[in-house]
Amino acid sequence: MKSIYPAKILLLSVLMMSGNSYGQNEFPALEDRYLGQKPPGLTPKKFAPGIVSTQEHSETEVLFLPDMRELSFTRSGGKHKEPTWLVMQYKDNRWSEKSIPSTDINKYKERFSPSVSEMKGLEPFKDIPIVGFTASPKGTYYFYVLDFKDGSGHMSYSRLIDGKYEEPQRMSKAINRGKYIAHPFIAPDESYLMWDAEKDDENTPDIYISFRNKDGSWGEAINMGDTINTAAYEQRPKVTPDGKYLFFWRGDKKVRKDGSSYWIGNPHWVDAQVIENLRPKQ
């Protein structure tokens, strides 16, 4: 296996993870951190109605930079015949849309979500059909492979040991259950893992969480409950860089009269206390 430059791993980890390493003074003031929105409680709400979440469009997940001074999402539908990627920036004590030159968009997107191609260029991942991943501050990758035709696939992990990545290890059946297992998020201290999947006899994904046991093994997958998981699609869980809120996407698939389909949905947020409420007492 090739040696990995620590600086590159650190960069990937910073980009992917919620940032406990950031001091409060490096974030915008708390009341400004989320476009000035009233924080949710333990019941999820659409994020920033009329600004990010709209009735006439469908918006994807919201992604924050580690210092929370920029956020991004994609909007489609209505006048947006093609998906439009939008960035909002906190500058001079206010939020506004940031214009990104078309020639820089792909590179700029990697600030919010590093490309899988970066990871797949490393040993021992080159021959694995990885779809997506999350990385811990220590450089551990949690990634998934997925066959979109039948939903089969699994999640694996690989630790960075002495500058080299170990051979990937498939995660236990506590996590690899059901189909369409995807979109992992690892806690900064690796004490819990969230993802979405369709369990047996289900036809829409729910969000699940597993907590790490004292012996290092992973506990059984826990459905995150009826307030988060509904009959719609719930996907892409992520905790904000300040650790305060859980963001996820909720939506549904609609079918037109001509048989074609389209998606509706918006980003939602909820107090991250919902995670602690599920953590087993030890």
Side-chain angles (χ1 to χ4, degrees):
M1 292 184 284
K2 288 184 179 179
S3 294
I4 308 302
Y5 291 110
K8 177 177 283 190
I9 298 304
L10 179 61
L11 174 60
L12 284 172
S13 299
V14 167
L15 287 171
M16 289 301 295
M17 291 307 307
S18 59
N20 282 1
S21 61
Y22 276 76
Q24 290 296 308
N25 61 346
E26 297 181 66
F27 294 126
L30 182 59
E31 60 269 23
D32 297 331
R33 221 170 279 179
Y34 302 95
L35 306 182
Q37 299 296 297
K38 181 180 178 181
L42 297 178
T43 300
K45 300 194 305 184
K46 286 183 181 180
F47 178 64
I51 303 173
V52 175
S53 299
T54 61
Q55 293 287 343
E56 62 271 30
H57 307 104
S58 179
E59 287 83 19
T60 61
E61 63 180 334
V62 168
L63 299 174
F64 287 90
L65 290 186
D67 66 3
M68 300 196 70
R69 292 181 181 274
E70 293 185 24
L71 63 82
S72 71
F73 61 95
T74 298
R75 174 171 286 155
S76 58
K79 67 178 182 180
H80 298 277
K81 304 303 180 184
E82 296 293 332
T84 302
W85 187 62
L86 300 171
V87 175
M88 299 192 72
Q89 180 184 44
Y90 183 72
K91 188 176 181 179
D92 299 328
N93 299 315
R94 68 185 185 93
W95 286 93
S96 59
E97 188 174 333
K98 183 175 183 177
S99 178
I100 309 297
S102 59
T103 54
D104 297 340
I105 285 178
N106 288 338
K107 191 67 176 176
Y108 207 85
K109 282 183 177 180
E110 293 193 7
R111 297 183 64 195
F112 293 90
S113 182
S115 170
V116 139
S117 62
E118 182 82 23
M119 177 185 176
K120 292 171 72 172
L122 306 174
E123 296 286 357
F125 310 114
K126 290 184 176 180
D127 297 325
I128 302 176
I130 297 168
V131 177
F133 71 96
T134 183
S136 76
K138 293 191 299 185
T140 303
Y141 281 122
Y142 295 81
F143 64 90
Y144 65 99
V145 299
L146 176 62
D147 186 331
F148 289 96
K149 293 180 180 179
D150 61 9
S152 62
H154 61 271
M155 201 180 307
S156 298
Y157 71 94
S158 177
R159 296 171 299 172
L160 182 65
I161 302 174
D162 296 329
K164 298 179 180 180
Y165 276 105
E166 66 179 349
E167 287 298 319
Q169 308 292 315
R170 187 175 295 205
M171 303 197 76
S172 70
K173 291 184 179 179
I175 291 171
N176 282 320
R177 296 175 56 193
K179 56 184 181 179
Y180 294 104
I181 299 166
H183 311 126
F185 173 86
I186 187 66
D189 62 0
E190 298 189 53
S191 67
Y192 66 81
L193 178 72
M194 290 188 293
W195 69 98
D196 53 75
E198 292 182 14
K199 292 301 177 70
D200 295 337
D201 301 320
E202 296 178 355
N203 57 11
T204 61
D206 282 343
I207 296 173
Y208 292 84
I209 188 168
S210 173
F211 293 92
R212 192 187 291 274
N213 297 317
K214 288 183 178 180
D215 64 3
S217 64
W218 289 97
E220 290 295 321
I222 301 171
N223 185 298
M224 292 200 69
D226 294 343
T227 58
I228 290 179
N229 293 319
T230 68
Y233 286 67
E234 278 82 25
Q235 297 177 301
R236 301 176 182 273
K238 288 181 177 64
V239 174
T240 52
D242 60 5
K244 292 185 176 297
Y245 302 103
L246 166 61
F247 272 68
F248 64 95
W249 185 83
R250 176 182 287 164
D252 211 350
K253 190 176 184 178
K254 300 293 185 180
V255 179
R256 300 183 180 92
K257 291 182 179 180
D258 63 4
S260 62
S261 61
Y262 63 100
W263 290 93
I264 61 170
N266 309 101
H268 286 62
W269 61 326
V270 65
D271 195 301
Q273 182 63 38
V274 297
I275 294 172
E276 296 308 313
N277 290 347
L278 293 171
R279 192 185 293 271
K281 303 295 187 291
Q282 295 187 6

